[in-house]
Amino acid sequence: MEGGDKNGQEPRGQSQASGTGPPWSQESSPEEGLPTEWSRDWSLTRRVLLAVSLFSLLLGSSVLWVYIFRNCGPRPCETPVCLDLLAQYQASGNTSEAPCTDFFSFACERAKRISNSFQALAKENKKRLKRLLEDPESWHQGSGEEKAFQFYHSCMDTDAIEAAGAGPLTQVIEELGGWHISGNWTSFDFNQTLRLLMSQYGHFPFFKAYLRPHPASPHTPVIQIDQPEFDIPLKQEQEQKIYAQIVREYLTYLNRLGTLLGGDPIKVQQHASLSITITSQLFQFLSPLEQREARDKLFHMVTINQLQEMAPAIDWLSCLQATFTPMSLSPSQPLVVQDLDYLRNMSQLIEEMLLKHRDFLQSHMILGLVGTLSPALDSKFREARRELRQKLRELTERPPLPDHPRWAKCVEEAGTFFEPTLAALFVHEAFGPGIRSAAMELFTEIKDALVTRLRRLPWIREETRKEVQNRVTQLQVTMGAPDWALKRELARQEYSDIQLGPNFLQSVLSCVRSLRARKVWSFLQPLPRHRWLVSPWGVNAYYSIPDHEVVFPAGLLQPPFFHPDYPRAVNFGAAGSIMAHELLHVFYQLLLPGGCPDCDTRALQEALLCLERHYAALPLPSGTSFSGSSTLLENAADVGGLAIAFQAYSKSLLQNRGETKLPNLDLNPHQLFFRSYAQVMCREPSAEHSQDTHSPPSLRVHGPLSNTPDFARHFRCPRGTLMNPSSHCQLW
């Protein structure tokens, strides 16, 4: 019965008057009626038991939470691609370095050498192309693919190339009218020879000429005339001693070429010496870039007829028409010219040489052609050129040439001449729909983070903010490869104008002519498609101003920078930061003086000055230097790219479950993000490119990371260390 015991008796002490409280409030305590001392002992015991129970509950909860954390937190990624990435990170990093004082060495140093992530990836992409070119099942008989494979195998057939010797080159020289060195000089028409060199052999001895989009809107195709590229590393301000040594080495090389071609040693010496004199004089005519910038004369717009009057030694219409067939040129055809003063002086020198030393001028042109064609010749010519380049690098204190196996050179040549074919094969092999979809998803998250960040920039006013957001919305993106590279009918085109044989040199020359014709044809299309500046297997992303398009080739979106099965920290830190960097190129104009009239100029300049001082305070590796002003825009893109990628990654962590990490690396996901960013920048500092707009690699790591408070927080860097300075710059 309710309220009674099992015998139906009334419980002792129950209130008869009240039935409103809960049952337990109406019952007597169990110890009621017992002695008071015993009651106190039992109360104490009960409190102890309660405390023990609570402790056990807390201990059990702690164990449970540890279990949940370990099983619901980031799981180790143990797929083959993750284990390969782990091995690369362990091989390239130096964990004995403290990340808060030298994160570049922590991420990039390898047995006292610096790993080069981009170089390693480019090599891996070439190996993939090699496997495709050596797989008989990769191509179809009777298609254009077959010619690509035949070209590669003829390039690899060094026995046949050695057997041909200098014969193929001698035949080319005879087609050009011979030369005085070998005693077979038959005739010489300067402009006819120049026209043949430019149109049939792809050699430009006195200037460069090529098609490009017009520098101003609407970016229609235009022929541009540039200064020549010299075969020897001369500089405007070079020590006389170094200059003399360079000239001696180059003279030795030219003498060697003339001897290999059967020339009389005395004549070879004379013609080689005068060829160097011509090169030196042409070099003296060059206007340094800084001078042309100061005079606001980077480019000139002239017609062919006007250029003919300024530089009459060249038959401009005839030479350009032959080179850019099937374009139809006229004397009124506009040209873009880089250095008019150079062309005037070059023309005057040629006129003088034609009056006094016609045969020497012919020899100069042919010696230059031999250097251009040497990669397609036998080992004696190739070795002569390699030795020259090696000695010149020593004289200019550059690192020695890396080993370049024959297969790598043949892959490069095949890729240059048969790009549509190899692009389709490479993308099919390395960038399937799943990879492309994952890369596009990553790009969308990066772009969304940029748009969000634009709303918070203090130095952009509302009108400009709307304008730049529209530019981001209108931006085109190409991921992996251009559309034409994915069409099998183009990949298997016949290349009917390419004739392979009877020797490898003739095959190369036929490919050179075909490639030039295809480039001209692409420019003549009524709605020309975007012309990629890199191959689909290349490793460089870029932003095209004329097309307002960012390009991320398939060759870049590969391990160790990107893979759908990687932890998201890796993809956002590596590929994501690259994507964000390229997106920020859209806004370079805003950062230039006067480039953003509607901006808060004072706040913008303060942020830029802060960034310049921030980089200037960072330590440089010995033997390297950089210009804070010339690298400022790229530094800004590095800093902003990292910040945007980290913002996108943080949002991704909130919206998605299942983040993974690399096993046995002792890095949590946020630390792995920053480690992956640094991996992108791993490379040796280069002294070769004095005009490089990027900072040295260590600064590209330390600059952005030390300007990111989240890095210092996740690596627990003490205030005042290199990677956690007392102040940060707020540009983006």
Side-chain angles (χ1 to χ4, degrees):
M1 292 188 307
E2 184 177 356
D5 65 10
K6 64 180 180 179
N7 295 321
Q9 297 176 345
E10 292 286 341
R12 287 181 300 172
Q14 180 174 333
S15 170
Q16 301 294 323
S18 176
T20 58
W24 59 84
S25 68
Q26 298 172 8
E27 295 181 334
S28 301
S29 63
E31 65 272 16
E32 188 175 349
L34 295 177
T36 305
E37 183 178 349
W38 191 93
S39 297
R40 284 198 301 268
D41 290 345
W42 169 247
S43 177
L44 178 62
T45 302
R46 187 169 59 178
R47 286 197 294 270
V48 171
L49 289 173
L50 180 62
V52 171
S53 299
L54 288 172
F55 177 78
S56 300
L57 180 62
L58 289 173
L59 181 61
S61 298
S62 300
V63 173
L64 179 62
W65 278 111
V66 170
Y67 175 82
I68 292 173
F69 177 79
R70 288 182 175 177
N71 289 273
C72 297
R75 295 174 291 102
C77 176
E78 296 179 335
T79 62
V81 292
C82 282
L83 295 180
D84 287 345
L85 181 67
L86 173 65
Q88 290 187 49
Y89 278 15
Q90 289 175 332
S92 66
N94 181 2
T95 55
S96 65
E97 292 285 352
C100 294
T101 56
D102 189 353
F103 199 76
F104 181 75
S105 295
F106 176 83
C108 300
E109 190 175 273
R110 180 177 184 174
K112 298 305 179 182
R113 291 182 59 86
I114 302 299
S115 59
N116 191 320
S117 298
F118 275 90
Q119 192 177 76
L121 179 54
K123 187 175 181 179
E124 187 57 41
N125 290 344
K126 288 179 185 176
K127 286 182 178 179
R128 190 180 296 236
L129 284 176
K130 175 179 180 286
R131 291 193 293 270
L132 290 170
L133 286 166
E134 293 179 351
D135 181 3
E137 296 183 1
S138 297
W139 53 278
H140 298 73
Q141 289 188 347
S143 68
E145 292 174 346
E146 185 175 14
K147 279 191 175 178
F149 286 77
Q150 288 174 344
F151 176 86
Y152 171 77
H153 287 283
S154 66
C155 179
M156 292 295 292
D157 189 358
T158 53
D159 290 342
I161 296 173
E162 292 298 316
L169 183 57
T170 302
Q171 180 183 345
V172 168
I173 294 174
E174 289 175 356
E175 292 171 357
L176 291 169
W179 62 345
H180 208 182
I181 284 179
S182 61
N184 297 324
W185 190 39
T186 56
S187 62
F188 175 54
D189 182 313
F190 170 75
N191 273 293
Q192 179 182 346
T193 301
L194 180 61
R195 185 164 56 248
L196 287 172
L197 288 173
M198 293 170 58
S199 63
Q200 299 300 304
Y201 302 102
H203 178 58
F204 297 81
F206 302 107
F207 53 86
K208 288 192 301 183
Y210 54 93
L211 278 171
R212 57 158 292 176
H214 194 286
S217 184
H219 307 296
T220 53
V222 64
I223 297 174
Q224 180 161 323
I225 311 295
D226 283 359
Q227 301 168 340
E229 293 180 349
F230 292 109
D231 215 17
I232 49 180
L234 299 174
K235 296 180 181 178
Q236 295 288 344
E237 297 179 0
Q238 200 162 43
E239 293 183 19
Q240 188 62 34
K241 179 180 178 182
I242 300 297
Y243 177 85
Q245 290 175 319
I246 290 174
V247 168
R248 279 197 297 271
E249 292 295 345
Y250 195 63
L251 179 60
T252 301
Y253 169 69
L254 295 183
N255 282 326
R256 191 170 175 182
L257 292 186
T259 302
L260 288 173
L261 288 165
D264 175 80
I266 296 177
K267 288 183 179 179
V268 168
Q269 178 76 23
Q270 293 173 339
H271 286 248
S273 297
L274 197 53
S275 176
I276 289 181
T277 300
I278 294 172
T279 298
S280 298
Q281 289 183 272
L282 291 173
F283 177 76
Q284 296 302 322
F285 297 153
L286 298 180
S287 300
L289 178 63
E290 296 78 9
Q291 289 183 14
R292 286 184 285 119
E293 285 179 336
R295 296 180 305 196
D296 196 22
K297 290 185 177 181
L298 279 178
F299 298 101
H300 304 264
M301 292 299 301
V302 299
T303 65
I304 290 180
N305 201 33
Q306 290 171 330
L307 186 57
Q308 189 66 56
E309 295 178 1
M310 299 177 193
I314 309 293
D315 185 348
W316 291 101
L317 180 59
S318 173
C319 289
L320 294 177
Q321 181 65 80
T323 303
F324 297 106
T325 299
M327 286 184 71
S328 180
L329 304 182
S330 68
S332 61
Q333 176 76 30
L335 306 171
V336 173
V337 177
Q338 191 184 79
D339 189 349
L340 272 177
D341 291 338
Y342 167 80
L343 295 180
R344 290 192 187 98
N345 291 322
M346 175 268 295
S347 175
Q348 184 176 346
L349 174 63
I350 290 174
E351 289 178 331
E352 294 173 359
M353 294 296 298
L354 288 172
L355 289 174
K356 301 177 183 178
H357 304 291
R358 293 176 64 84
D359 54 343
F360 287 96
L361 190 61
Q362 170 83 337
S363 296
H364 171 75
M365 297 165 76
I366 289 179
L367 285 169
L369 175 65
V370 175
T372 300
L373 299 181
S374 60
L377 302 174
D378 67 48
S379 58
K380 295 186 291 295
F381 289 93
R382 297 198 306 271
E383 186 58 30
R385 188 161 186 81
R386 178 175 175 81
E387 289 183 11
L388 169 70
R389 294 175 64 197
Q390 200 73 273
K391 290 176 180 177
L392 293 180
R393 292 176 78 89
E394 292 174 6
L395 289 173
T396 53
E397 297 183 345
R398 290 179 294 171
L401 285 170
D403 291 333
H404 204 54
R406 179 71 183 178
W407 69 262
K409 180 63 180 174
C410 293
V411 165
E412 290 173 4
E413 292 288 311
T416 297
F417 298 135
F418 299 93
E419 183 172 314
T421 293
L422 295 191
L425 292 174
F426 180 86
V427 171
H428 178 75
E429 169 86 8
F431 201 71
I435 300 177
R436 186 182 188 281
S437 176
M440 284 298 298
E441 182 180 343
L442 174 63
F443 177 77
T444 300
E445 294 184 70
I446 294 295
K447 188 169 75 169
D448 289 346
L450 169 61
V451 172
T452 301
R453 208 167 191 89
L454 288 174
R455 300 192 189 110
R456 301 200 303 260
L457 291 184
W459 49 269
I460 291 186
R461 297 196 175 104
E462 193 59 31
E463 192 66 29
T464 303
R465 195 184 319 276
K466 292 179 181 178
E467 180 183 336
V468 296
Q469 286 178 346
N470 287 337
R471 284 186 61 76
V472 174
T473 303
Q474 297 164 5
L475 183 70
Q476 301 295 312
V477 57
T478 303
M479 199 75 66
D483 291 339
W484 56 261
L486 307 178
K487 296 179 180 178
R488 299 298 289 179
E489 62 272 17
L490 282 177
R492 295 176 182 172
Q493 62 182 279
E494 294 182 2
Y495 302 106
S496 57
D497 56 342
I498 292 180
Q499 302 299 319
L500 299 180
N503 54 66
F504 182 61
L505 176 59
Q506 289 297 332
S507 296
V508 169
L509 293 175
S510 182
C511 289
V512 166
R513 295 158 192 156
S514 173
L515 177 61
R516 187 193 64 254
R518 272 181 277 146
K519 285 183 176 179
V520 175
W521 177 85
S522 72
F523 271 97
L524 295 180
Q525 299 310 296
L527 294 173
R529 58 178 177 257
H530 168 73
R531 298 168 190 86
W532 274 40
L533 302 180
V534 295
S535 300
W537 53 86
V539 295
N540 293 315
Y542 66 92
Y543 167 63
S544 170
I545 296 176
D547 301 289
H548 190 46
E549 181 173 7
V550 284
V551 172
F552 304 100
L556 174 66
L557 298 171
Q558 301 292 320
F561 299 155
F562 180 80
H563 194 280
D565 293 341
Y566 277 170
R568 288 198 301 273
V570 174
N571 287 334
F572 277 90
S577 64
I578 294 172
M579 292 175 178
H581 178 107
E582 296 305 323
L583 280 173
L584 288 176
H585 284 188
V586 177
F587 309 110
Y588 269 16
Q589 185 65 33
L590 298 179
L591 305 185
L592 296 174
C596 187
D598 191 44
C599 290
D600 184 339
T601 306
R602 180 176 179 180
L604 174 58
Q605 291 306 313
E606 286 179 355
L608 291 172
L609 182 60
C610 174
L611 195 64
E612 194 168 347
R613 289 172 175 167
H614 178 77
Y615 273 75
L618 296 172
L620 273 172
S622 59
T624 61
S625 61
F626 87 110
S627 167
S629 57
S630 62
T631 61
L632 180 60
L633 291 178
E634 290 294 337
N635 293 341
D638 283 343
V639 169
L642 176 67
I644 291 166
F646 187 76
Q647 176 181 321
Y649 175 61
S650 300
K651 182 179 179 181
S652 175
L653 285 181
L654 293 175
Q655 294 180 340
N656 300 281
R657 295 181 179 181
E659 174 64 308
T660 58
K661 62 181 181 180
L662 294 181
N664 304 318
L665 196 60
D666 197 26
L667 293 177
N668 65 42
H670 288 99
Q671 292 173 328
L672 181 59
F673 169 90
F674 294 116
R675 173 70 171 78
S676 300
Y677 166 79
Q679 191 72 28
V680 171
M681 304 301 175
C682 289
R683 68 198 78 179
E684 293 276 2
S686 174
E688 294 187 43
H689 307 293
S690 57
Q691 302 297 328
D692 193 355
T693 56
H694 298 89
S695 292
S698 63
L699 265 63
R700 297 193 71 183
V701 171
H702 291 157
L705 292 180
S706 62
N707 195 61
T708 305
D710 287 300
F711 172 87
R713 180 165 60 87
H714 286 292
F715 277 94
R716 297 175 181 170
C717 296
R719 179 61 66 90
T721 55
L722 176 69
M723 304 305 294
N724 188 14
S726 57
S727 61
H728 302 89
C729 305
Q730 301 296 324
L731 178 60
W732 301 108

